[in-house]
């Protein structure tokens, strides 16, 4: 557990980036895993140890599968080894090819899962307030080669599922959702996992709910579900009979044991995230130039992401300066999802002008900052983080001047950070 160390900052020179002591003695991460009850997990590990059944659709994976489907109210929720493989399986099972429309403002895995199968991700711009695909822009990106749309429920906030399904129907396109952030979230009261042809979850360690590594494909389509079940196990039907092309996408028993334990703790994880989110909101709400994402009170959300937009003009400090300042204090905030997939390889070489069609994506990528959340972040930590940010905004001018003086005297120093 990180400990708050140094006294509050009273002048710019107290900041760690300008030579003061860091506010935290240990790094405070954005994605510390939420865990359930250690003894419940250990009991399951003992069982699987005794049973000598470690993978290949073992009893814990089967139990986990049933509990996931029940929780989501979906017919099938097939656990797999990670969210990226879940995406790849769903994309392949849906028969996507040619071009698929996808946001650029997402984790790189969304685009890679397409490109990996030689499908062209066509990057589409997002809506300024929802940060999700803008359906009007999606329609403009459709060509004769388009076979599908992949929407991402970014930060766990649902895409405009009605507009996207109407669009998909009208143009005979398949609709898949990357719901990596959205486990336990609803859209108009229905759990995400029930929309489009299929939806994909990530249960990676940094997600709100984790199985160490893991993921799942949720669908109400029986045929699609049986295809995915075959594909995740090399296409085996029975002992010696392969009836389909497949890969190894299986979840292990120890991951399922972690998932079963985490499910028992889900409501607690949500309430901790929500408490933290509200504390940030109270601590930062009135600062000029800073806007935290909001969650719809009428929906269920997991509150995992505390994402902040920094408007440099109004805040008096830029996003990257704020990030450098926080890192120096041991607050490892992240620029999820800077710089946008279209500015990463191979896409930036393949589509060097993609940015011209992505003004909202580029704007958000310059402003966004994700702050630490989860069970390992306490109220005192959040108070300290908020007071650091408040100090940065209130003393933006002094900080910029002092940094400029420092950089001028140490021209070889690079204060830029890795995204
Ligand atoms: N689609 C979307 C929209 C996604 O966001 C993701 C994954 C996927 C698809 C693909 O799903 P998976 O195949 O991953 O299941 C992290 C995660 O690795 C990635 O799963 C996640 N999105 C993405 C948003 O974040 P990095 O490169 O930021 O991870 P890393 O190692 O820097 O960790 C983040 C922070 O968490 C660090 O400050 C350290 C801390 N941490 C990390 C791990 C792994 C811990 O405290 N404990 C840990 O075990 O990508």
């Amino acid at each position: 557990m990180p400990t708050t160390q140094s006294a509050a900052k009273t002048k710019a020179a107290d900041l760690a980036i300008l030579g003061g002591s860091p506010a935290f003695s240990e790094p405070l991460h954005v994605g510390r895993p939420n865990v359930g009850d250690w003894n419940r997990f250990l009991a399951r590990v003992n069982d699987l140890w005794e049973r000598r059944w470690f993978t290949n659709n073992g009893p814990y994976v089967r139990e986990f599968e049933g509990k996931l489907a029940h929780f989501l109210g979906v017919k099938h929720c097939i656990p797999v080894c990670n969210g990226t493989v879940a995406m790849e399986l769903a994309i392949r099972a849906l028969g996507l090819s040619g071009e698929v429309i996808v946001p650029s403002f997402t984790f790189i895995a969304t685009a890679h899962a397409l490109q990996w199968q030689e499908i062209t991700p066509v990057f589409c711009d997002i809506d300024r307030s929802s940060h999700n695909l803008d359906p009007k822009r999606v329609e403009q990106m459709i060509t004769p080669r388009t076979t599908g749309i992949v929407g991402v429920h970014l930060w766990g906030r649902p895409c405009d599922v009605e507009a996207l399904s109407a669009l998909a129907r009208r143009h005979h396109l398949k609709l898949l959702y990357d719901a990596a952030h959205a486990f336990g979230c609803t859209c108009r009261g229905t759990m995400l996992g029930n929309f489009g042809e299929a939806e994909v979850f990530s249960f990676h360690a940094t997600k709100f709910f984790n199985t160490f590594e893991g993921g799942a494909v949720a669908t109400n389509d029986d045929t699609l579900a049986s295809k995915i079940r075959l594909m995740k196990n090399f296409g085996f039907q029975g002992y010696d009979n392969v009836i389909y092309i497949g890969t190894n996408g299986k979840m292990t028993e120890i991951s399922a044991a972690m998932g079963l334990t985490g499910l028992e703790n889900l409501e607690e994880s949500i309430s901790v995230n929500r408490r933290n989110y509200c504390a940030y909101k109270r601590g930062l709400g009135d600062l000029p130039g800073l806007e935290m994402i909001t969650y719809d009170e009428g929906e269920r959300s997991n509150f995992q992401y505390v994402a902040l937009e920094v408007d440099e003009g109004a805040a008096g400090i830029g996003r990257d300066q704020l990030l450098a300042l926080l890192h120096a204090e041991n607050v490892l905030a992240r620029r999820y999802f800077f710089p946008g997939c279209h500015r990463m390889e191979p896409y930036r070489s393949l589509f060097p002008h993609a940015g011209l069609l992505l003004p909202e994506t580029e704007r958000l990528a310059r402003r966004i900052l994700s702050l630490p959340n989860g069970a390992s972040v306490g109220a005192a930590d959040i108070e300290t983080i908020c007071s650091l940010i408040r100090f940065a905004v209130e003393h933006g001018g002094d900080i910029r001047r002092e940094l400029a003086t420092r950089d001028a005297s140490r021209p070889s120093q690079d204060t830029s950070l890795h995204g």
Side-chain angles (χ1 to χ4, degrees):
M1 196 81 172
T3 47
T4 305
Q5 221 187 28
S6 69
K9 318 283 175 185
T10 56
K11 54 186 184 310
D14 292 339
L15 291 167
I17 199 169
L18 291 166
S21 317
F24 293 93
S25 55
E26 298 289 332
L28 199 59
H29 295 280
V30 290
R32 299 295 285 166
N34 285 335
V35 291
D37 184 89
W38 173 239
N39 290 320
R40 298 277 299 155
F41 175 64
L42 265 193
R44 291 187 166 108
V45 173
N46 271 327
D47 277 354
L48 77 87
W49 188 264
E50 291 302 320
R51 209 163 29 225
R52 296 289 195 275
W53 196 282
F54 295 159
T55 182
N56 288 16
N57 213 25
Y60 281 147
V61 167
R62 293 199 302 273
E63 184 185 346
F64 186 46
E65 179 162 351
K67 290 207 161 135
L68 285 175
H70 178 76
F71 174 69
L72 298 173
V74 70
K75 269 172 109 175
H76 310 276
C77 189
I78 305 160
V80 295
C81 56
N82 60 57
T84 304
V85 167
M87 282 295 291
E88 288 168 3
L89 288 169
I91 286 164
R92 197 160 185 132
L94 282 170
L96 296 182
S97 63
E99 294 176 0
V100 169
I101 298 169
V102 66
S104 171
F105 198 79
T106 177
F107 189 58
I108 195 67
T110 319
H112 277 356
L114 292 162
Q115 186 73 34
W116 192 253
Q117 307 187 58
E118 299 186 4
I119 298 166
T120 304
V122 173
F123 295 118
C124 178
D125 214 2
I126 49 173
D127 174 77
R128 184 173 285 198
S129 62
S130 73
H131 300 177
N132 287 329
L133 272 182
D134 179 345
K136 287 191 296 298
R137 309 293 248 148
V138 173
E139 187 146 35
Q140 292 163 351
M141 310 302 277
I142 296 172
T143 74
R145 280 172 45 78
T146 309
T147 59
I149 303 167
V150 174
V152 180
H153 303 302
L154 206 80
W155 321 130
R157 303 190 303 176
C159 290
D160 186 344
V161 294
E162 275 170 23
L164 290 177
S165 34
L167 203 58
R169 249 194 325 273
R170 218 167 38 249
H171 292 272
H172 309 289
L173 303 175
K174 297 276 170 46
L175 181 57
L176 172 66
Y177 288 106
D178 176 340
H181 297 182
F183 188 68
C185 303
T186 60
C187 177
R188 297 187 187 219
T190 300
M191 281 285 189
L192 295 177
N194 284 277
F195 295 92
E197 263 78 34
E199 304 209 45
V200 162
F201 295 103
S202 164
F203 303 144
H204 182 260
T206 56
K207 292 290 181 279
F208 139 77
F209 163 76
N210 83 88
T211 59
F212 302 127
E213 286 271 3
V217 187
T219 181
N220 284 305
D221 178 332
D222 296 339
T223 315
L224 191 67
S226 9
K227 255 192 201 175
I228 290 167
R229 287 203 173 89
L230 282 171
M231 287 170 86
K232 71 158 188 174
N233 186 28
F234 315 101
F236 267 108
Q237 188 184 59
Y239 280 126
D240 312 307
N241 193 22
V242 171
I243 62 163
Y244 207 78
I245 182 162
T247 183
N248 184 352
K250 290 166 285 151
M251 177 174 272
T252 60
E253 284 289 276
I254 198 156
S255 283
M258 183 68 174
L260 287 166
T261 311
L263 278 181
E264 293 164 355
N265 201 49
L266 210 65
E267 297 310 319
E268 169 66 13
S269 301
I270 293 177
S271 78
V272 167
N273 272 356
R274 186 194 174 95
R275 183 201 66 204
N276 288 350
Y277 169 83
C278 294
Y280 276 115
K281 193 105 188 139
R282 278 194 303 278
L284 302 174
D286 60 336
L287 287 178
L290 299 186
E291 200 182 333
M292 256 173 74
I293 58 161
T294 54
Y295 292 99
D296 185 340
E297 283 298 325
E299 303 286 359
R300 248 183 88 104
S301 304
N302 60 35
F303 295 92
Q304 174 72 353
Y305 291 93
V306 180
L308 195 63
E309 276 187 59
V310 183
D311 171 355
E312 180 166 0
I317 184 158
R319 187 273 313 270
D320 289 342
Q321 283 168 329
L322 186 56
L323 182 72
L325 182 153
L326 289 173
H327 275 218
E329 304 291 346
N330 261 332
V331 179
L332 301 191
R334 296 290 291 269
R335 294 184 287 189
Y336 293 137
F337 289 98
F338 173 86
C341 297
H342 68 290
R343 286 181 177 268
M344 298 193 188
E345 292 298 353
Y347 315 107
R348 77 171 159 225
S349 297
L350 290 172
F351 320 115
H353 307 300
L356 295 174
L357 292 174
L358 302 168
E360 294 298 335
T361 301
E362 299 240 309
R363 175 181 181 275
L364 188 59
R366 281 194 301 272
R367 294 170 159 231
I368 202 81
L369 195 60
S370 280
L371 299 174
N373 197 8
S376 64
V377 184
D381 299 327
I382 294 175
E383 225 172 88
T384 304
I385 296 170
C386 290
S387 65
L388 285 168
I389 295 175
R390 179 171 293 276
F391 185 87
V393 169
E394 286 168 355
H395 298 81
D398 293 347
I399 295 167
R400 280 202 315 276
R401 261 190 309 280
E402 299 246 8
L403 282 174
T405 315
R406 184 201 66 176
D407 291 347
S409 63
R410 291 154 54 196
S412 59
Q413 289 284 321
D414 178 8
T415 56
S416 68
L417 288 141
H418 310 288

